[in-house]
Short mmCIF file of all heavy atoms in Angstrom, two decimals:
data_model
loop_
_atom_site.label_atom_id
_atom_site.label_comp_id
_atom_site.label_asym_id
_atom_site.label_seq_id
_atom_site.Cartn_x
_atom_site.Cartn_y
_atom_site.Cartn_z
N VAL C 1345 88.57 108.05 115.05
CA VAL C 1345 89.03 109.48 115.08
C VAL C 1345 87.81 110.36 115.33
O VAL C 1345 86.85 110.42 114.53
CB VAL C 1345 89.67 109.80 113.69
CG1 VAL C 1345 90.25 111.20 113.83
CG2 VAL C 1345 90.64 108.79 113.23
N PRO C 1346 87.87 111.14 116.40
CA PRO C 1346 86.84 112.17 116.64
C PRO C 1346 86.97 113.30 115.69
O PRO C 1346 88.00 113.40 114.94
CB PRO C 1346 87.12 112.60 118.08
CG PRO C 1346 88.66 112.41 118.23
CD PRO C 1346 88.98 111.18 117.39
N PHE C 1347 86.03 114.16 115.65
CA PHE C 1347 86.23 115.45 114.88
C PHE C 1347 85.68 116.60 115.59
O PHE C 1347 84.74 116.42 116.37
CB PHE C 1347 85.59 115.26 113.40
CG PHE C 1347 84.05 115.20 113.40
CD1 PHE C 1347 83.28 116.37 113.22
CD2 PHE C 1347 83.43 113.99 113.61
CE1 PHE C 1347 81.96 116.33 113.31
CE2 PHE C 1347 82.00 113.93 113.52
CZ PHE C 1347 81.28 115.11 113.38
N THR C 1348 86.21 117.72 115.38
CA THR C 1348 85.77 118.94 116.01
C THR C 1348 85.07 119.88 115.01
O THR C 1348 84.48 120.91 115.42
CB THR C 1348 86.91 119.72 116.70
OG1 THR C 1348 87.97 119.86 115.76
CG2 THR C 1348 87.52 118.94 117.91
N ARG C 1349 85.26 119.69 113.78
CA ARG C 1349 84.61 120.53 112.81
C ARG C 1349 84.36 119.69 111.49
O ARG C 1349 85.16 118.87 111.17
CB ARG C 1349 85.55 121.72 112.45
CG ARG C 1349 84.96 122.69 111.41
CD ARG C 1349 85.95 123.89 111.21
NE ARG C 1349 85.39 124.81 110.22
CZ ARG C 1349 85.60 124.73 108.88
NH1 ARG C 1349 86.30 123.79 108.49
NH2 ARG C 1349 85.07 125.68 108.10
N ALA C 1350 83.18 120.00 110.96
CA ALA C 1350 82.84 119.28 109.63
C ALA C 1350 82.32 120.32 108.71
O ALA C 1350 81.51 121.15 109.05
CB ALA C 1350 81.83 118.10 109.91
N GLU C 1351 82.70 120.25 107.44
CA GLU C 1351 82.11 121.07 106.35
C GLU C 1351 81.43 120.20 105.39
O GLU C 1351 82.07 119.20 104.87
CB GLU C 1351 83.17 121.86 105.66
CG GLU C 1351 82.68 122.76 104.57
CD GLU C 1351 83.79 123.51 103.96
OE1 GLU C 1351 84.48 124.35 104.61
OE2 GLU C 1351 84.05 123.33 102.66
N ILE C 1352 80.15 120.38 105.10
CA ILE C 1352 79.39 119.43 104.28
C ILE C 1352 78.69 120.19 103.17
O ILE C 1352 78.07 121.27 103.43
CB ILE C 1352 78.33 118.61 105.14
CG1 ILE C 1352 79.01 118.00 106.35
CG2 ILE C 1352 77.65 117.62 104.24
CD1 ILE C 1352 77.98 117.36 107.23
N SER C 1353 78.82 119.79 101.96
CA SER C 1353 78.13 120.40 100.78
C SER C 1353 77.31 119.40 100.04
O SER C 1353 77.69 118.15 99.95
CB SER C 1353 79.22 120.99 99.81
OG SER C 1353 80.08 121.91 100.46
N PHE C 1354 76.10 119.79 99.64
CA PHE C 1354 75.20 118.99 98.88
C PHE C 1354 75.00 119.57 97.52
O PHE C 1354 74.87 120.82 97.36
CB PHE C 1354 73.86 118.86 99.59
CG PHE C 1354 73.90 118.47 101.00
CD1 PHE C 1354 74.06 119.43 102.04
CD2 PHE C 1354 73.88 117.17 101.48
CE1 PHE C 1354 74.15 119.00 103.39
CE2 PHE C 1354 73.97 116.74 102.75
CZ PHE C 1354 74.06 117.65 103.78
N SER C 1355 74.92 118.69 96.53
CA SER C 1355 74.84 119.23 95.14
C SER C 1355 74.31 118.10 94.21
O SER C 1355 74.46 116.86 94.49
CB SER C 1355 76.17 119.81 94.67
OG SER C 1355 77.12 118.78 94.50
N ALA C 1356 73.87 118.56 93.05
CA ALA C 1356 73.63 117.66 91.95
C ALA C 1356 74.92 117.60 91.14
O ALA C 1356 75.63 118.70 91.03
CB ALA C 1356 72.49 118.14 91.09
N THR C 1357 75.26 116.46 90.59
CA THR C 1357 76.51 116.27 89.85
C THR C 1357 76.18 115.50 88.60
O THR C 1357 75.26 114.67 88.61
CB THR C 1357 77.58 115.73 90.69
OG1 THR C 1357 78.80 115.82 90.00
CG2 THR C 1357 77.30 114.26 91.04
N ASP C 1358 76.86 115.69 87.53
CA ASP C 1358 76.83 114.91 86.36
C ASP C 1358 77.72 113.68 86.51
O ASP C 1358 78.91 113.80 86.83
CB ASP C 1358 77.29 115.63 85.06
CG ASP C 1358 76.32 116.84 84.77
OD1 ASP C 1358 75.11 116.74 85.17
OD2 ASP C 1358 76.77 117.72 84.07
N ALA C 1359 77.20 112.48 86.31
CA ALA C 1359 77.92 111.23 86.48
C ALA C 1359 79.15 111.23 85.59
O ALA C 1359 79.09 111.37 84.32
CB ALA C 1359 77.08 110.06 86.25
N THR C 1360 80.34 110.98 86.18
CA THR C 1360 81.56 110.78 85.29
C THR C 1360 81.45 109.34 84.70
O THR C 1360 80.62 108.48 85.13
CB THR C 1360 82.79 110.84 86.13
OG1 THR C 1360 82.87 109.86 87.13
CG2 THR C 1360 82.92 112.24 86.84
N LEU C 1361 82.38 109.07 83.74
CA LEU C 1361 82.39 107.70 83.18
C LEU C 1361 82.69 106.69 84.28
O LEU C 1361 81.95 105.68 84.32
CB LEU C 1361 83.48 107.65 82.13
CG LEU C 1361 83.64 106.28 81.50
CD1 LEU C 1361 82.40 105.82 80.74
CD2 LEU C 1361 84.85 106.26 80.50
N GLN C 1362 83.57 106.95 85.19
CA GLN C 1362 83.88 105.97 86.27
C GLN C 1362 82.71 105.82 87.21
O GLN C 1362 82.33 104.69 87.48
CB GLN C 1362 85.07 106.50 87.11
CG GLN C 1362 85.50 105.47 88.23
CD GLN C 1362 86.66 106.11 89.11
OE1 GLN C 1362 86.61 107.29 89.38
NE2 GLN C 1362 87.50 105.25 89.56
N GLN C 1363 82.04 106.93 87.56
CA GLN C 1363 80.92 106.82 88.42
C GLN C 1363 79.68 106.10 87.76
O GLN C 1363 79.03 105.18 88.39
CB GLN C 1363 80.40 108.21 88.91
CG GLN C 1363 81.45 108.86 89.84
CD GLN C 1363 81.20 110.37 89.94
OE1 GLN C 1363 80.23 110.96 89.24
NE2 GLN C 1363 81.97 111.05 90.72
N ALA C 1364 79.52 106.34 86.52
CA ALA C 1364 78.43 105.65 85.83
C ALA C 1364 78.64 104.22 85.67
O ALA C 1364 77.71 103.41 85.80
CB ALA C 1364 78.33 106.33 84.31
N GLN C 1365 79.91 103.73 85.45
CA GLN C 1365 80.15 102.34 85.41
C GLN C 1365 79.91 101.63 86.69
O GLN C 1365 79.49 100.49 86.74
CB GLN C 1365 81.70 102.12 85.01
CG GLN C 1365 82.01 102.57 83.61
CD GLN C 1365 83.50 102.53 83.33
OE1 GLN C 1365 84.34 102.63 84.26
NE2 GLN C 1365 83.92 102.42 82.04
N HIS C 1366 80.18 102.30 87.75
CA HIS C 1366 79.95 101.63 89.13
C HIS C 1366 78.46 101.85 89.62
O HIS C 1366 77.95 100.96 90.37
CB HIS C 1366 80.89 102.25 90.13
CG HIS C 1366 82.28 101.82 89.99
ND1 HIS C 1366 82.74 100.55 90.29
CD2 HIS C 1366 83.37 102.46 89.52
CE1 HIS C 1366 84.06 100.35 90.06
NE2 HIS C 1366 84.43 101.55 89.59
N LEU C 1367 77.84 102.89 89.17
CA LEU C 1367 76.45 103.14 89.72
C LEU C 1367 75.35 102.69 88.69
O LEU C 1367 74.21 103.00 88.91
CB LEU C 1367 76.24 104.57 90.06
CG LEU C 1367 77.01 104.98 91.30
CD1 LEU C 1367 77.03 106.56 91.39
CD2 LEU C 1367 76.46 104.46 92.57
N ASP C 1368 75.80 102.04 87.59
CA ASP C 1368 74.89 101.48 86.67
C ASP C 1368 73.90 102.59 86.07
O ASP C 1368 72.70 102.43 86.13
CB ASP C 1368 74.03 100.32 87.30
CG ASP C 1368 73.26 99.47 86.29
OD1 ASP C 1368 73.71 99.57 85.09
OD2 ASP C 1368 72.20 98.90 86.60
N CYS C 1369 74.57 103.62 85.58
CA CYS C 1369 73.85 104.68 84.94
C CYS C 1369 74.60 105.18 83.78
O CYS C 1369 75.60 104.58 83.38
CB CYS C 1369 73.53 105.79 85.89
SG CYS C 1369 74.98 106.73 86.52
N ASN C 1370 74.10 106.28 83.08
CA ASN C 1370 74.82 106.72 81.96
C ASN C 1370 75.76 107.94 82.34
O ASN C 1370 75.32 108.75 83.17
CB ASN C 1370 73.81 107.22 80.85
CG ASN C 1370 72.95 106.05 80.46
OD1 ASN C 1370 73.51 104.99 80.05
ND2 ASN C 1370 71.64 106.24 80.30
N PRO C 1371 76.92 108.11 81.65
CA PRO C 1371 77.73 109.27 81.90
C PRO C 1371 76.86 110.53 81.61
O PRO C 1371 76.04 110.57 80.67
CB PRO C 1371 78.77 109.13 80.89
CG PRO C 1371 78.94 107.69 80.62
CD PRO C 1371 77.53 107.16 80.70
#
């Protein structure tokens, strides 16, 4: 699929419980 427009945001985020379980870090 091609794209004609993209919106990208960068940020720091606090790991959720699900993300922490998969990324081997603490919530």
Side-chain angles (χ1 to χ4, degrees):
V1345 187
F1347 69 93
T1348 51
R1349 182 176 181 272
E1351 179 181 299
I1352 308 174
S1353 301
F1354 307 91
S1355 64
T1357 188
D1358 294 337
T1360 66
L1361 176 60
Q1362 182 187 38
Q1363 292 164 359
Q1365 290 171 339
H1366 286 288
L1367 290 170
D1368 192 24
C1369 64
N1370 297 314

